[in-house]
Amino acid sequence: MSDRLLADWQAHALNLESEINKVVVGQESPVRLITTAIFARGHVLLEGDVGVGKTTLLRAFTRGIGGGYQRIEGTIDLMPNDLVYHTYLGEDGRPHVSPGPLLSEGENLAVFFFNEINRARPQVHSLLLRVMAERTLSAFNKEHQFPHMLVFADRNQVEKEETFEIPSAARDRFMMEIPIVVPSDADVMESLMFDTRFHNVDALVERVPGGILQFDQLNEFAALVQDKVQASPALRRYALNLWLATKTPGQYGIQIGGVDINRLVIAGASPRGMAMMLRAARVNAWLNGRDAVLPEDIHAVFHETVAHRLVFSPVYEMRRTEIARELLSGIVNAISVP
Ligand SMILES: Nc1ncnc2c1ncn2[C@@H]1O[C@H](COP(=O)(O)OP(=O)(O)OP(=O)(O)O)[C@@H](O)[C@H]1O
């Protein structure tokens, strides 16, 4: 019975991916990773340029899974309450209060997109992190629940002025950080420029058939995937070695040009991080029609689930993206595959 369910949902998930890939072009890898996060029930950091289709991508996913979508812009003067309610003067000349983006969809909130999260102040980050962890919020004398919400937060990495970087403890709560960059294929670039289909986000998103999946069944189904996809003892040892290597890469013979490897890492991946990596790897195995995790499932999500959790010595933080890439591929090459 559960095997049938796993196979049916795999077909739906692959159908969702292919419909999304029709409207957001040249982003197959982020689409696969977001699908993985949705089925692993993990929040996502997006690292991307401006105008690369992040909003389109998230709205298209929400249309495919159903449920509500909300977006908020991070600004320096955003206050935590701006996520919870708006006040305005009504036509009757009296003040009114209406629910803000976190509350307006009620329990149906499926995707909450926080654009440019690092422009918002730490008080706003801490409210969001609490909601992400607890999936509840007290407001208007009531406890509000968000059982189906996934948060997608974009960090603007282009401009650094007047930004508040989210601290490592906060980054650790996100399952993945997914880069979204301009597609490099010339044909895709040309169609993004000339094909008017891509110029109207509302019309584009409408092309995704609604309700391919049911957002309010995802938690239950995700638990089934985690339960059914197995990890062999050899795979477990392999994953453990990868984890140890993130803490002391020097002991595994990893070298990176211009970096004193023994001083690079202040903190390797956390237990929460490695648990999230395994959740994502299990989903990747299921998406590929398997009932056991292979090393290639770990490789498919290793960088995106681990890189944002590593804390480097301050001297190396400026080159963080490049060093993390080299370090993690060095680890994958150094640890022998079972
Ligand atoms: N890969 C893509 N496929 C389809 N449309 C795209 C793609 N990249 C950009 N676009 C189009 O570019 C426009 C901007 O996209 P969108 O608003 O989703 O970007 P964004 O990354 O959210 O931007 P911002 O960072 O400014 O919020 C839209 O009209 C969208 O359809």
Side-chain angles (χ1 to χ4, degrees):
M1 178 63 197
S2 61
D3 288 349
R4 170 88 190 277
L5 203 60
L6 289 169
D8 282 354
W9 278 64
Q10 184 210 9
H12 297 321
L14 298 181
N15 180 24
L16 173 71
E17 276 192 338
S18 87
E19 292 297 337
I20 306 263
N21 283 326
K22 285 182 204 159
V23 301
V24 183
V25 287
Q27 301 290 4
E28 289 78 8
S29 166
V31 166
R32 167 50 61 101
L33 289 162
I34 292 176
T35 307
T36 307
I38 286 175
F39 281 97
R41 308 309 291 146
H43 306 294
V44 174
L45 281 170
L46 298 174
E47 187 192 350
D49 302 334
V50 174
V52 287
K54 297 183 295 288
T55 310
T56 317
L57 196 54
L58 295 180
R59 284 186 53 196
F61 265 108
T62 314
R63 186 159 162 82
I65 66 174
Y69 167 87
Q70 287 290 319
R71 165 180 171 144
I72 193 155
E73 298 298 318
T75 57
I76 193 160
D77 55 356
L78 188 77
M79 297 303 284
N81 283 342
D82 295 332
L83 273 63
V84 182
Y85 63 83
H86 298 302
T87 51
Y88 63 97
L89 215 51
E91 282 178 12
D92 54 4
R94 289 164 168 275
H96 289 265
V97 180
S98 67
L102 264 181
L103 300 189
S104 57
E105 305 284 341
E107 287 205 359
N108 289 340
L109 182 59
V111 171
F112 187 77
F113 178 27
F114 202 130
N115 200 23
E116 303 209 278
I117 191 171
N118 54 346
R119 290 204 181 279
R121 291 174 174 279
Q123 304 96 297
V124 178
H125 299 165
S126 68
L127 172 80
L128 185 76
L129 293 171
R130 208 170 61 230
V131 174
M132 277 164 55
E134 296 167 9
R135 295 178 188 278
T136 63
L137 175 76
S138 303
F140 305 116
N141 299 324
K142 203 179 140 200
E143 186 93 332
H144 300 265
Q145 314 263 354
F146 316 100
H148 311 295
M149 174 191 67
L150 287 188
V151 172
F152 292 79
D154 158 66
R155 298 200 275 166
N156 180 330
Q157 300 287 41
V158 182
E159 295 136 321
K160 293 279 182 195
E161 301 84 43
E162 293 197 324
T163 58
F164 300 89
E165 202 36 82
I166 43 177
S168 60
R171 290 201 304 268
D172 201 54
R173 292 181 185 267
F174 288 89
M175 174 175 271
M176 295 188 191
E177 178 162 57
I178 303 178
I180 302 192
V181 294
V182 181
S184 53
D185 182 294
D187 291 340
V188 171
M189 290 172 85
E190 188 185 313
S191 58
L192 285 175
M193 228 182 341
F194 288 98
D195 189 339
T196 51
R197 202 157 50 108
F198 298 119
H199 300 173
N200 180 338
V201 181
D202 292 332
L204 198 54
V205 170
E206 288 288 306
R207 287 169 179 258
V208 177
I212 300 174
L213 293 166
Q214 284 74 44
F215 73 102
D216 52 358
Q217 294 175 14
L218 287 171
N219 286 338
E220 202 181 327
F221 181 73
L224 180 72
V225 173
Q226 296 301 319
D227 191 41
K228 292 289 173 192
V229 178
Q230 302 301 312
S232 70
L235 190 284
R236 284 165 195 252
R237 257 192 319 279
Y238 176 63
L240 181 63
N241 284 333
L242 290 174
W243 186 9
L244 292 171
T246 69
K247 292 179 182 294
T248 52
Q251 290 183 11
Y252 291 80
I254 291 152
Q255 291 178 347
I256 300 174
V259 172
D260 178 350
I261 198 79
N262 293 319
R263 297 190 171 198
L264 171 64
V265 179
I266 293 180
S270 62
R272 181 202 278 131
M274 295 313 280
M276 287 187 178
M277 185 199 72
L278 241 299
R279 282 184 73 80
R282 282 194 160 99
V283 171
N284 194 71
W286 161 71
L287 282 172
N288 285 290
R290 281 187 260 104
D291 60 3
V293 182
L294 298 181
E296 68 192 64
D297 296 313
I298 292 186
H299 300 163
V301 297
F302 189 55
H303 190 279
E304 287 77 10
T305 51
V306 173
H308 64 288
R309 302 172 199 281
L310 303 175
V311 182
F312 293 152
S313 300
V315 280
Y316 299 120
E317 276 294 332
M318 285 297 282
R319 290 170 55 204
R320 173 176 188 86
T321 309
E322 170 208 338
I323 293 179
R325 194 180 313 115
E326 279 195 47
L327 175 65
L328 294 175
S329 39
I331 290 174
V332 168
N333 291 333
I335 307 290
S336 46
V337 173

